[in-house]
């Protein structure tokens, strides 16, 4: 996430929301907007139909079908009616003194969020595993309580739903280690004033910015410069200190702001809510610090002052096609197609999916975006929850803004930035989609087609074996659910893949614009990649939660390590240099912070020791980093302090507790010495990890040292990280043997080859490739569809979005 | 590679060859054999045609076209005429005293191999980079000189070609560290007699084998048991010691021999060529060693002897479909199709390929299979050579056969086992293919369609970026060249992938049957996975050569490491915990053995420091392990001794020398204390690595701890390893910006989305899916097509294969 402070006079949070709401919304009555609404209103999904013969004629790819989840989805979010009723109810609580966000100033309280409070696992299991009724529904709301010298963001619960006379609200505190009544201080309460403060400072050197870059940042509409900087702000000694940098706005239509640093920085003390008490504390240019503006001005206008060049947008910073034509590139490349109906079932309303022997429910929250729940294989739960927790992008640099940057992206939220996916690009042309919603400013915004589902035939098989007399070969057809969130400059592509052998792969890939550094004094932190630009080194570390339930809740964590050894055997008279397997179990949480061993020597498994297989081996799932990952390089980060703990190791194993549902809070950066969730505290009670309900947190990460190939955008082929969950001794054999998508060819000995296809249908039909083109028709691409929550009219929920901003 | 000694009375090497030649060859005059010949005779390839509009109507996927490599392929092997003439010439050398292999006994000399001697880089560069003529062609032959008390395998050179009066032969010695005139001892010269020796021992306990397993191994046609064991054989104290085990033959058509160990072992001393001097040295059963047959018999027939169960083939060991039907699996899954002509060019004769801005030549050898040469991007060479060197499968176990097994698979050879690929399974249905050839028994065998080429559109894009006003997205279309070699029980799938961003990925995946252990006393070395079966722990370590030439031959090796640090800056009054990049260069070969650093902290790059980019950064290619890899766990392996050195580290950096063309010799296992190539000696001269011609050897590896999911076969989804070569600061920006396969959608602000497609053709045609089915028609699947080299008749090269065995 890069800063987005080029729009002044709004709070940091509102700023980000405005980006979403201001530019991507259409006039409500345009024809294509009606089309978009119609896509929203009805399910656009295909679900599989029963087997059909695929004979000559047109391929039949259609076939939507009624399909119902076995249970209601208790994680999928509030209905529009629920959210509206909670919003209305909270606005009536006079003690909260809420103001409509469109009218609120710095000293008004607003309602930042209304969404489902994800129910406790303890309350859910009797429902999904038994005959108990569904758990009570409660709303989770966030209040931005700014009408105070000490502004706070307050997590509260409202419920039970539906709203009636018994409805109450209470502070939401139990998931947090900080015992503050669910409140954290809001260091951004005056971010609009803060930007004005910066403009005023900038104005004092407008002659210099004009001289250096031909532009100014004065909080005017024609500003050609932006001023933003570190995140989180410095919080030591009880002060609030900011470092900010000047940036060039792109002069074209591309989003290259984060490639255009200008290398002039200043530091402010913005402690407290009285802007008149805020102070400028100095300037930095070309690695020289000037404590006052006078000193900076004096130096600047001295004879020997070195002026450095700006970074300016150009062809190099746009993503459009450029350069020489590639040979034969005018011909269409191969593409994946589906010549028959979808082979999976989606209950759009319940957000429930079945593919082959897998099933799962989908949840979606503002902070963390898509989450999967109750992932089962062959009817048996493997994971209760599999979800992103937080994405850290920790930078370093020779300048204070890069050095001081450690984005915790749930602050911005993965939900609001899960844009519509691009068919044929983000997902195959034949993919199915699901919508997602998020709450902003008393409205529910819907991103159409922001989760996709598709089957794919990998470019390599699942299994093969050749001999002199036969060859056997099985297709590797897998199923993917995917969402993409673009948090500012970076696009995170989140994929969950399901395989015929029972394995599950979690992948994150990164593209989009790097946040770069001005090149002065940055040699130890990056390559110079353009005229005055340095690729700013940073670690992406994405923390995930994997709540395994292997044959029930009581699980253990086994480590199996390949070790070199010298052994003596009864069958030989001298010792032998060989290797063996050491098996150990984690005993308690004090052992639960894990670095992957060197050379990949250790295999990590969640097992159930009470339910061994018939050979006495523990059934379980292995956790295998499959795609290059890492934890955070920085030790005892000065930027994150106590908020760093979820990122310092590769794996964490903990006992599941309803009071520890997640590793991070979106406002952890507002109080880094005492964050809402201090993940390290989860380990302090040192609970047993032997046959307990275990939760594994794992990190996917990338050390990114941007180079010229990252211009204009980082490419997915190089920025990726993944982990695979594999059944190990879980089944009696390889379950991919169940698929028909295999072949055996017996050949040789003078005979014509004999081909066994195991009941596969031969696809003999004409596929209209135009239907694939239509599948990726992008003319209806749309931003948000907005449903107002307050005031809410269920008969006309859509409204003209210009009215809210 | 598992042992294959179930056919008795032939040498070990001939045995393997017989497997290839005996069962997979057809009667030469059958109709489908004529079809196979016709496929062999003419190019079956498509190369791309120029751009066409794809309008309504049938999709045009055809279009073979003349395409010629810019230079002759100096690595592609001998012509049939060359190989035949060398064979004929050598048979006339009376001093060699060669006997036709079909008639040869243990004391006859035979000609094991005739193929191209890969020319020296020094001799090739003036040709491929300049106007020099092609280097002289020399044949590399291997003589099996068994007419001696000290049998040797001799590498010789024959040339220059074509054969004329000036032709000579000489020992091939310069590529080997062992200065033995190109000769290594042959410990398998009497392998047929050795198997008879084992049968005779087995016969002495036939009552016991009948009692335990209902079968015998007596070198008879109806043997139901096989006896084979360690590889390499033990060589300490100047003796040749073998440990062998009884195995059950499968009772069905599947190749599950290596899943059927029986847990009875014996040890022999087979030093020297006189079988009458060979000795039985003891028996092992259930972890108890019996020095003599009498002691074993006595124990066996005692009252308290524990008899353990056998492993017997069954449904569990076959690969056919079994188990419950998967939902909707009767419907056809998605598949990749090509609705237009191929977008790459293949010169079948020169084995030269161009795709987009990449080009390369293909070489193929008996030992190492497919190799790529002169890999260029945008006309500039990136790699002179990229090739597999050796594949080690190092086992460990509580029994002597598993403990003693460390297959060096080039002994068996990757060339002869590169079987025909299965269209639609090993490669997409629309892939193009190339044939490969290998020499056996005075004949050239051709595996039809054993290398495939295809473009593929990944299930995720190359690049994307969303904003509130536009989304930009680029397809990730890549090009793959692939071969599969099944060396006994294991199928290795070798892929080289080329990407639009200039990166290259090398992947190996493993499937097929594991070699397993009998379960007694194996707890520390594997899981119990079936009734009397243990999954035998093993390390796969595949050594590759990557001869980089970055902007010329003079290159350096840079390591760039993310390190945590505490730093003090001019802009802050207290130290900060952050990170920085340390850059170092390898100075000389003594620093050239590299373990990957923990947490992926270090980036490894081949750079050219003489040719920095305009910002002063070194242009280069990064070497990134991308898919989980490892080096050998065992330290100072008792099995491999001095032959272990290429497998002990992750990366090796050396100065390129014509006298060090490869890291391993296929017969290294015949003299493990003094192998033909002792890789460690390459480092002893400690040559400079600064701006020299560098060669990188890297290992791809997998720690494999087989579990029930490996039954019947290991699946590719879990057994894989890869490395990626990425341009870093090599180009001025991301070169994938050159493709047309991208889109930008401008949207929002009440407007209908505007879609820019950058000249992409929309594909509007009907694709006959039957053509995809035909593309994977397997009824013509064929084993080898054989061309006799001696006597050779160029007008009728095919012959009835029964005549040779």
């Amino acid at each position: 996430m890069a800063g987005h402070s080029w729009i002044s006079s709004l709070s940091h949070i509102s700023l980000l929301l405005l980006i979403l709401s201001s530019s991507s919304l259409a006039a409500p009555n345009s024809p294509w907007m009606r089309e978009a609404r119609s896509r929203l209103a009805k399910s656009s999904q295909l679900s599989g139909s029963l087997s059909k013969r695929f004979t000559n004629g047109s391929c039949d790819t259609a076939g939507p079908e009624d399909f119902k989840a076995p249970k209601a989805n208790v994680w999928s979010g509030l209905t529009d009616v629920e959210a509206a009723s909670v919003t209305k109810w909270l606005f009536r609580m006079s003690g909260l003194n809420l103001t409509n966000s469109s009218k609120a100033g710095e000293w008004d309280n607003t309602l930042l969020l209304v969404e489902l409070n994800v129910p406790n696992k303890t309350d859910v299991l009797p429902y999904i595993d038994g005959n108990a009724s569904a758990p009570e529904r409660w709303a989770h709301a966030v209040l931005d309580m700014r009408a105070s010298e000490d502004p706070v963001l307050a997590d509260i619960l409202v419920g039970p739903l539906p709203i009636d006379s018994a409805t109450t609200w209470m502070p939401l505190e139990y998931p947090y280690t900080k015992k503050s009544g669910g409140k954290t201080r809001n260091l951004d309460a005056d971010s609009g004033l803060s930007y004005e403060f910066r403009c005023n400072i900038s104005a004092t050197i407008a002659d210099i910015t004009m001289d250096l870059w031909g532009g100014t940042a004065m909080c005017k509409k024609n500003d050609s410069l932006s001023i933003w900087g570190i995140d989180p702000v410095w919080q030591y000694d009880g002060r609030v200190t900011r470092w900010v940098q000047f940036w060039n706005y792109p002069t074209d239509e591309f989003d290259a702001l984060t490639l255009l640093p200008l290398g002039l920085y200043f530091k402010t003390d913005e402690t407290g809510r009285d802007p008149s008490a805020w102070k400028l504390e100095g300037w930095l240019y070309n690695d020289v610090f000037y404590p006052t503006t006078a000193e900076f001005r004096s130096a600047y206008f001295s004879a020997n002052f070195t002026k450095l060049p700006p970074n300016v947008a150009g062809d190099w910073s746009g993503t459009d096609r450029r350069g020489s034509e590639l040979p034969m590139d005018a011909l269409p490349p191969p593409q994946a197609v589906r010549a028959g109906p979808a082979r999976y079932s989606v209950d759009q309303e319940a957000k429930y999916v079945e593919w082959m022997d897998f099933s799962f429910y989908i949840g979606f929250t503002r902070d963390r975006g898509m989450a999967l729940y109750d992932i089962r294989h062959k009817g048996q739960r493997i994971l209760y929850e599999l979800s992103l927790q937080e994405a850290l992008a920790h930078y370093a640099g020779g300048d204070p803004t890069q050095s001081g940057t450690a984005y915790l992206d749930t602050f911005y939220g993965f939900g609001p930035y899960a844009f519509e996916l691009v068919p044929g690009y983000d997902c195959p042309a034949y993919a199915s989609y699901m919508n997602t919603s998020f709450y902003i400013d008393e409205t529910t915004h819907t991103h159409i087609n922001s989760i996709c589902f598709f089957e794919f035939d990998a470019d390599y098989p699942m299994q093969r074996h050749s001999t002199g007399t036969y060859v056997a070969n099985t297709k590797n057809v897998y199923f993917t659910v995917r969402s993409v969130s673009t948090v500012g400059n970076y696009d995170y592509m989140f994929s969950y893949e399901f395989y015929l052998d029972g394995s599950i792969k979690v992948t994150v890939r990164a593209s989009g614009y790097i946040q770069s550094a001005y090149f002065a004094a940055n040699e130890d932190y990056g390559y110079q990649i353009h005229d005055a630009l340095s690729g700013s080194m940073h670690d992406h570390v994405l923390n995930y939660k994997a709540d395994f339930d292997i044959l029930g809740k009581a699980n253990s964590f086994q480590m199996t390590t390949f070790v070199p050894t010298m052994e003596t055997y009864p069958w030989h008279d001298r010792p032998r240099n060989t290797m063996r397997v050491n098996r150990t179990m984690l005993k308690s949480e004090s052992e639960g912070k894990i670095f992957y061993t060197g050379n990949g020597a250790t295999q990590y498994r969640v097992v159930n020791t009470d339910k061994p297989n018939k050979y006495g081996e523990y059934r379980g799932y292995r956790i295998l980093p499959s795609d290059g990952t890492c934890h955070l390089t920085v030790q005892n980060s000065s930027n994150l302090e106590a908020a760093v703990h979820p990122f310092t190791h590769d794996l964490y194993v903990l006992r599941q507790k309803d009071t520890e549902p997640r590793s991070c809070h979106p406002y952890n950066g507002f109080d880094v010495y005492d964050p809402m969730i201090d993940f390290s505290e989860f380990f302090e009670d040192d609970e047993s990890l032997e046959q307990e309900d275990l939760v594994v947190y794992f990190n996917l990460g990338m050390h990114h040292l941007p180079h010229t190939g990252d211009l204009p955008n980082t490419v997915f082929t190089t920025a990726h990280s993944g982990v695979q969950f594999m059944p190990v001794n879980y089944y009696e054999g390889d379950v991919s043997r169940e698929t028909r998508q295999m072949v055996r060819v017996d050949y040789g000995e003078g005979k014509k080859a004999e081909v066994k296809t195991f009941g596969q249908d031969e696809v003999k039909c004409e596929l209209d490739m135009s239907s694939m083109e239509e599948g990726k028709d992008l003319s209806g691409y749309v931003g948000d569809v907005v449903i107002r929550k307050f005031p809410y009219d269920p008969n006309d929920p859509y409204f003209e979005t210009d009215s809210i901003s």
Side-chain angles (χ1 to χ4, degrees), chain A:
Chain A
M1 177 64 208
H4 278 281
S5 306
W6 62 93
I7 302 165
S8 60
S9 79
L10 285 171
S11 80
H12 198 170
I13 295 168
S14 301
L15 258 175
L16 280 153
L17 303 185
L18 186 62
I19 293 161
L20 287 165
S21 57
S22 64
S23 55
S24 61
L25 293 171
N29 294 315
S30 64
W32 72 270
M33 190 68 204
R34 283 197 297 275
E35 161 65 14
R37 284 180 190 171
S38 126
R39 290 164 71 198
L40 174 65
K42 68 177 183 182
S43 162
S44 60
Q45 295 321 117
L46 302 176
S47 55
S49 65
L50 295 179
S51 173
K52 297 178 183 176
R53 299 302 303 180
F54 289 86
T55 52
N56 294 324
S58 291
C59 299
D60 173 16
T61 61
E65 209 173 73
D66 280 344
F67 172 72
K68 288 292 167 204
K71 300 268 181 169
N73 183 337
V74 297
W75 309 276
S76 77
L78 299 179
T79 65
D80 287 339
V81 171
E82 284 175 329
S85 66
V86 170
T87 303
K88 186 175 174 186
W89 187 88
L90 284 171
F91 267 77
R92 285 183 180 167
M93 294 289 109
S94 58
L96 298 178
N97 195 22
L98 293 175
T99 300
N100 190 300
S101 58
S102 64
K103 298 170 189 157
E106 272 82 9
W107 287 79
D108 289 318
N109 296 340
T110 56
L111 178 58
L112 273 187
L113 177 69
V114 176
E115 67 177 16
L116 179 74
N117 186 58
V118 178
N120 295 333
K121 183 177 182 180
T122 304
D123 300 325
V124 171
L125 288 186
Y127 171 63
I128 60 171
D129 291 344
N131 296 317
S133 55
E136 279 186 347
R137 290 173 72 75
W138 286 74
H140 164 222
V142 178
L143 308 176
D144 188 2
M145 306 297 278
R146 292 194 283 175
S148 162
E149 286 290 341
D150 299 304
V152 296
L153 294 153
D155 284 294
I156 65 168
L157 288 175
V158 181
L161 302 182
I163 296 283
D164 63 17
S165 61
T167 299
T168 57
W169 75 265
M170 64 188 76
L172 174 59
E173 186 172 18
Y174 70 85
Y176 311 133
T177 57
K178 180 172 183 148
K179 296 308 169 197
S180 58
K183 295 174 187 165
T184 191
R185 65 184 182 190
N186 180 0
L187 297 184
D188 263 348
D190 298 301
S191 62
L193 296 174
S194 172
Y195 198 78
E196 280 179 29
F197 178 66
R198 276 173 249 166
C199 288
N200 292 338
I201 294 169
S202 169
T204 67
I205 61 151
D207 51 343
I208 291 177
T209 65
M210 280 302 293
D211 181 51
L212 277 173
W213 314 310
T216 54
M218 310 222 283
C219 287
K220 293 187 176 165
K221 281 203 169 174
N222 62 351
D223 278 358
S224 64
L225 307 175
S226 180
I227 317 168
W228 51 272
I230 63 171
D231 177 6
V233 297
W234 287 355
Q235 298 159 40
Y236 59 84
D237 297 343
R239 311 299 298 175
V240 172
T241 307
R242 294 182 195 271
W243 269 104
V244 293
Q245 178 175 203
F246 286 85
W247 301 74
N248 241 335
Y249 281 123
T251 48
D252 55 23
E253 65 269 53
F254 292 101
D255 191 31
L257 178 81
T258 55
L259 293 183
L260 307 175
L262 292 170
L264 176 62
Y265 314 83
F266 61 87
K267 180 186 180 187
T268 63
D269 182 325
E270 300 179 25
T271 310
R273 297 209 67 184
D274 178 4
S276 70
W278 296 351
K279 291 173 299 202
L280 171 71
E281 297 199 327
W283 296 85
L284 182 75
Y285 189 79
N286 200 7
D287 212 30
V288 178
F289 182 72
Y290 307 93
T292 66
T293 303
E295 283 164 284
F296 175 51
R297 294 189 67 86
S298 165
Y300 187 83
F301 291 107
S302 67
N304 58 352
F305 188 84
T306 304
K307 297 177 188 176
L308 300 174
N311 286 297
V312 181
D315 276 355
W316 67 279
S317 57
T319 50
D320 278 1
R321 208 206 79 75
R322 66 164 185 260
S324 57
E325 287 274 339
L326 292 171
M328 301 192 194
D329 195 28
L331 292 167
Q335 63 174 304
V337 301
R338 198 181 64 204
R343 310 195 321 151
Y344 49 88
S345 302
V346 178
D347 180 339
Q348 287 279 336
E349 194 181 330
K351 296 188 187 302
Y352 172 78
V353 181
E354 288 186 1
W355 173 75
M356 299 294 139
D357 278 347
F358 279 104
S359 67
F360 55 87
Y361 293 84
I362 294 177
F364 196 85
T365 59
R366 178 217 166 270
D367 296 347
R368 297 176 299 281
M370 180 173 68
L372 307 189
Y373 290 94
D374 196 26
I375 300 174
R376 295 179 189 230
H377 191 235
K378 297 187 177 295
Q380 181 76 46
R381 182 164 49 251
I382 306 297
L383 290 146
Y384 175 79
E385 179 184 355
L386 176 58
S387 61
L388 177 72
Q389 297 294 296
E390 181 57 280
L392 165 65
H394 198 304
Y395 292 72
D399 73 70
T401 61
Q402 290 307 299
S403 183
T405 299
Y407 294 122
L408 295 166
D409 277 343
T410 66
F411 175 73
Y412 307 99
F414 285 90
Y417 298 97
F419 288 99
E420 179 174 356
L421 297 164
V422 183
Y425 291 83
D426 286 322
C427 317
Y430 57 81
S432 306
Y433 295 89
M434 191 177 275
N435 305 323
T436 62
S437 299
F438 56 101
Y439 176 100
I440 296 178
D441 294 350
E442 299 91 45
T443 62
T444 294
H445 292 229
T446 293
H447 278 127
I448 288 179
N449 293 355
S450 45
I451 294 176
C452 73
F453 310 93
F454 59 88
E455 257 195 323
F456 208 75
D457 186 3
D459 80 357
Y460 62 94
M462 168 65 69
Q463 167 275 340
R464 82 175 318 286
H465 187 56
S466 284
T467 73
T469 58
Y470 77 90
V471 57
N473 208 313
T474 308
K475 287 194 182 192
N476 183 6
V477 178
Y478 59 94
F479 181 74
T480 300
V481 51
R482 171 173 294 165
S483 73
V484 175
S485 290
T486 303
V487 188
N489 53 318
Y490 258 119
D491 300 59
Y492 293 103
M493 176 171 280
F494 301 104
S495 303
Y496 298 91
E497 297 170 354
F498 299 85
Y499 290 86
L500 289 170
D501 65 348
S503 64
I504 302 169
K505 192 170 175 183
V506 183
T507 304
V508 62
R509 298 184 175 92
S511 187
Y513 283 94
I514 58 168
Q515 174 167 319
S516 58
Y518 195 69
F519 78 135
N522 209 58
E523 297 78 9
D524 292 338
Y525 306 91
Y527 297 118
Q528 186 177 345
I529 58 174
H530 207 254
D531 298 337
L533 200 65
S534 177
S536 185
M537 73 183 294
H538 56 282
D539 279 354
H540 291 280
V541 187
L542 292 98
N543 190 252
Y544 282 80
K545 176 182 182 182
D547 180 350
F548 282 92
D549 285 354
I550 301 297
L551 305 167
K553 286 201 298 178
N555 291 171
S556 299
F557 195 89
Q558 186 177 39
M559 293 179 296
T560 310
T561 304
F562 276 47
V563 291
T565 183
M566 182 184 282
E567 297 282 335
T568 304
Y569 298 98
W571 39 265
H572 195 35
D573 55 8
R574 61 186 78 185
R576 290 176 55 73
N577 293 321
T578 182
M579 59 183 170
R580 51 168 285 159
V581 172
N582 281 354
R583 309 184 196 193
T584 56
M585 292 281 182
L586 290 185
K587 288 194 170 50
S588 67
E589 290 176 340
S590 63
E591 302 175 351
K593 298 179 186 176
I594 296 171
F595 292 118
Y596 292 136
T597 49
N599 198 31
T602 302
Q603 301 186 3
Y604 306 91
R605 279 208 305 157
V606 179
V607 300
N608 188 327
T609 60
D610 292 334
K611 296 179 181 171
N613 69 12
K614 65 185 190 182
Y615 311 117
E617 301 286 359
Y618 302 141
R619 299 173 63 184
Y621 260 69
R622 179 178 172 195
I623 300 166
L624 169 66
S626 66
D627 210 10
T629 186
C630 65
H631 56 265
L632 182 64
T633 300
V634 179
Q635 292 174 0
N636 303 311
S637 166
S638 295
N639 293 331
L640 293 177
E641 299 292 347
V644 80
H645 297 126
F647 312 104
T648 56
H649 291 69
D650 295 310
L651 287 176
Y652 303 89
V653 187
L654 284 160
R655 186 169 163 190
Q656 192 280 335
K657 290 162 92 169
D658 288 343
T659 55
E660 296 173 357
R662 39 191 182 273
S663 63
C664 300
H665 188 283
Y667 303 138
N668 267 7
F670 277 153
D671 205 347
V672 294
Y673 295 96
D674 184 15
M676 286 290 275
I677 297 178
D678 181 341
F679 186 58
S680 67
E681 291 189 26
F682 289 8
F683 296 84
E684 285 181 1
D685 50 6
D686 193 22
E687 289 172 296
S688 168
L689 299 178
E690 297 179 302
Q691 290 305 94
E692 298 287 350
D693 188 2
L694 301 188
V695 176
V696 177
Y697 290 90
F698 62 92
N699 282 322
L700 298 186
M702 303 162 244
H703 302 302
H704 198 169
L705 183 59
H707 55 92
T708 52
D710 288 290
L711 297 177
N713 277 186
T714 294
V715 291
F716 281 124
T717 45
T718 59
H720 48 80
S721 178
V723 70
Q724 204 169 350
F725 304 143
M726 296 159 43
V728 167
N729 293 324
Y730 187 86
Y731 294 111
E732 286 192 18
D734 166 32
V735 293
S736 80
R737 293 307 88 213
E738 294 174 357
T739 183
R740 295 187 186 201
Q741 312 305 324
M742 63 169 67
V743 71
R744 172 153 65 97
V745 184
D746 292 334
Y747 71 99
E749 300 183 4
K751 294 174 309 195
K752 184 175 168 72
E754 190 181 329
V755 183
K756 295 186 177 63
T757 56
F758 304 99
Q760 279 184 54
D761 272 320
E762 282 198 22
V763 184
K764 292 188 174 177
C765 54
E766 301 272 325
L767 183 65
D768 182 0
M769 295 297 290
S770 308
S771 69
M772 291 294 143
E773 295 293 330
E774 283 157 19
K776 52 190 181 189
D777 175 28
L778 303 173
S779 63
Y781 195 91
V782 66
D784 309 320
V785 173
V786 182
I787 296 175
R788 187 197 297 278
K789 286 302 179 309
F790 180 72
Y792 177 66
D793 177 356
N795 297 314
D796 183 17
Y798 308 103
F799 71 105
E800 189 153 0
T801 56
D802 290 350
S803 65
I804 60 159
S805 59

